[in-house]
Amino acid sequence: MAGRNGRTVRDLRRGNRTAVLQRLYFDGPLSRFELGPATGLSSGSVSNVVADLIADGLVEEAGSVDSDGGRPRTLLRVAPHSGQMIGVDVGETRVRVELFDLALTELARSERPLTPQGYDVDVIADHIRDGVAEVLTAEQAAPDRLLGVGVGVPGIVDHTPDRGAVVHGQTIGWDAVPLEQLLRSASGLPDGVPYFIDNGAKTLGQAEMWFGAGRGARNAVVVLFGSGVGACLVTPEVEHGRAVEWGHLTVRVRGRRCRCGAPGCLEAYAGAESLLARWREEGGRPPEDTDEETALTAMLAAAYPAEGTAPDPVALAVLEETAEYLGAGLSDLINLFQPERILIGGWAGLQLGTRFLPAVRRHAATYALRHPADRVTIELGRLGPDAVTVGAAILPLAEFFADGGRRPERTPEERLPAWRTALQDRTPH
């Protein structure tokens, strides 16, 4: 039966379960007494919802605390082993697959390195399928506890009723790739296990906003700095986050050719791939037959050697120029969106780390308008190299919250609004 606002009794129960689960997840352990003000529910509603969640195995007792003059109050928490999620990072150097419990504790992982220009669609799909099978076998996971598989990918992701998630990755040669269909074919997972596919910068941003350096901020930009660069914008108007193709902002007319084919993109100057190429073009000597991460480590060692050793002037000059390009690119984000925080993640961003950050901040302040520049902080992300897989695993977790901990059968077109709505409640109190 629907009320005046169109919500049924089932909707109300699901909403109450969602409220209790989220508060226990982000703020727990909490007592039933504390859950009332935290959720806005009456004590009777809290008791009923908690009883249901305990009966479903989703909530468990976690000790007790003394009360003022009365009996000790029992603390409650979300049961970590009541559900599992898989997060996948289709990165520039490897495909990483991780299995997490409900508390986002890593249970198992699988990594498959990618060769240069190794973005053959069928190879990537095989890596993901094999990685998923490997982590489930390693943990002997129960399929009925698997909430879903989240995947972070390079490029723009469209969600279509007939083909599911379709990826447009111009820089890696993907043109309208029906990735969800490819993964479902011969996946070995039950048909009811959902896939959630989104841009990798967006999943990185989701992880930092829920659990990392973005927690508590309403306006933030999270930058993914790897072989290329991308960003995720989070504002009150776009609360579930929006991936922006920041790396393809034009920073130099008739400049270097970007891997997307256009001249003068930021990515042609600020990504690790271009950074190493410019070092080579200027006469530097990157190590041969190594991956980008190893080569960038060598470049940093050459530019910032141990005390008493002269730096490589070419490597140092290229890094300093890259800091200026990156700072100038951040200034555009500052002027356009006026964020409270800018967070830099991705393997290259973390590798450049604190040594690189002061110069980036200085250049961003030089190029940005003074008022928004004075209000923003620029920091490194806190979640390390696994941030994209954590963010990808958050996608099925968000739907789990939206459904009040239940696992209803949904079509892909019904699923998309549900988890996007859940992501809007990303910021813990």
Side-chain angles (χ1 to χ4, degrees):
M1 178 177 178
R4 292 182 181 179
N5 60 3
R7 298 187 70 194
T8 65
V9 172
R10 179 178 295 179
D11 293 332
L12 292 172
R13 287 176 178 165
R14 182 171 60 240
N16 291 348
R17 285 170 63 100
T18 294
V20 170
L21 279 172
Q22 287 184 320
R23 291 285 58 81
L24 287 177
Y25 192 83
F26 290 114
D27 302 329
L30 296 172
S31 67
R32 291 171 177 79
F33 179 79
E34 293 169 312
L35 277 169
T39 60
L41 300 177
S42 68
S43 59
S45 294
V46 167
S47 294
N48 290 335
V49 170
V50 166
D52 285 345
L53 293 173
I54 290 175
D56 290 344
L58 299 177
V59 168
E60 64 186 15
E61 294 185 358
S64 62
V65 292
D66 293 334
S67 62
D68 296 333
R71 292 183 302 174
R73 291 186 179 131
T74 300
L75 294 176
L76 304 166
R77 67 174 183 178
V78 174
H81 302 297
S82 61
Q84 296 178 343
M85 303 83 67
I86 290 176
V88 180
D89 175 10
V90 180
E92 294 104 347
T93 59
R94 61 176 57 84
V95 173
R96 177 182 287 127
V97 181
E98 295 183 64
L99 177 69
F100 300 92
D101 68 13
L102 211 59
L104 284 172
T105 300
E106 180 190 312
L107 302 176
R109 77 160 55 201
S110 169
E111 292 192 358
R112 283 162 168 73
L114 296 177
T115 58
Q117 290 79 46
Y119 275 100
D120 178 271
V121 174
D122 291 330
V123 170
I124 295 294
D126 284 343
H127 281 341
I128 296 173
R129 283 193 294 258
D130 292 346
V132 167
E134 184 176 323
V135 297
L136 290 176
T137 300
E139 185 59 22
Q140 298 182 336
D144 62 336
R145 287 192 292 164
L146 185 61
L147 304 181
V149 179
V151 185
V153 296
I156 299 168
V157 182
D158 287 335
H159 295 87
T160 65
D162 53 338
R163 297 197 295 170
V166 175
V167 183
H168 307 270
Q170 186 169 324
T171 60
I172 59 173
W174 286 14
D175 183 17
V177 170
L179 185 60
E180 185 172 346
Q181 282 187 346
L182 292 173
L183 294 179
R184 286 198 177 282
S185 63
S187 71
L189 292 178
D191 291 340
V193 175
Y195 284 88
F196 303 84
I197 300 173
D198 221 325
N199 175 272
K202 186 173 170 183
T203 66
L204 169 69
Q206 193 63 60
E208 290 289 350
M209 295 304 292
W210 272 32
F211 301 110
R215 183 165 175 162
R218 284 175 55 80
N219 301 273
V221 173
V222 184
V223 170
L224 176 60
F225 186 0
S227 290
V229 291
C232 173
L233 167 69
V234 181
T235 70
E237 293 77 27
V238 193
E239 290 195 276
H240 56 265
R242 182 179 71 216
V244 291
E245 292 296 331
W246 175 60
H248 303 290
L249 182 81
T250 301
V251 295
R252 190 166 183 174
V253 176
R254 294 186 293 275
R256 286 174 53 85
R257 186 72 58 179
C258 177
R259 58 182 180 171
C260 76
C265 292
L266 175 63
E267 191 165 290
Y269 297 91
E273 181 181 299
S274 63
L275 204 162
L276 293 166
R278 286 162 50 224
W279 185 26
R280 185 178 298 108
E281 291 163 8
E282 295 295 326
R285 302 179 64 180
E288 301 294 333
D289 301 322
T290 59
D291 59 33
E292 283 184 355
E293 294 186 37
T294 304
L296 185 58
T297 299
M299 185 179 188
L300 286 169
Y304 307 109
E307 188 175 349
T309 305
D312 176 339
V314 176
L316 185 59
V318 171
L319 282 168
E320 288 177 344
E321 185 183 46
T322 299
E324 183 166 7
Y325 273 112
L326 190 60
L330 293 180
S331 75
D332 290 321
L333 297 175
I334 293 168
N335 290 342
L336 286 169
F337 304 117
Q338 300 182 29
E340 296 171 41
R341 301 177 199 174
I342 294 177
L343 309 173
I344 299 176
W347 68 265
L350 297 173
Q351 205 163 329
L352 292 169
T354 54
R355 187 187 298 275
F356 200 60
L357 208 55
V360 171
R361 289 190 186 114
R362 185 173 65 253
H363 290 303
T366 298
Y367 285 98
L369 293 170
R370 186 169 58 252
H371 179 67
D374 288 343
R375 296 162 59 91
V376 69
T377 60
I378 301 174
E379 305 290 344
L380 293 177
R382 294 179 186 165
L383 298 181
D386 292 341
V388 173
T389 50
V390 171
I394 285 174
L395 303 180
L397 178 62
E399 186 186 66
F400 173 78
F401 286 148
D403 292 329
R406 307 220 184 260
R407 296 175 174 82
E409 293 295 327
R410 278 203 179 106
T411 63
E413 58 268 28
E414 292 170 334
R415 181 173 294 117
L416 179 63
W419 62 265
R420 283 194 166 168
T421 298
L423 291 177
Q424 291 179 2
D425 296 325
R426 70 191 188 284
T427 305
H429 295 301

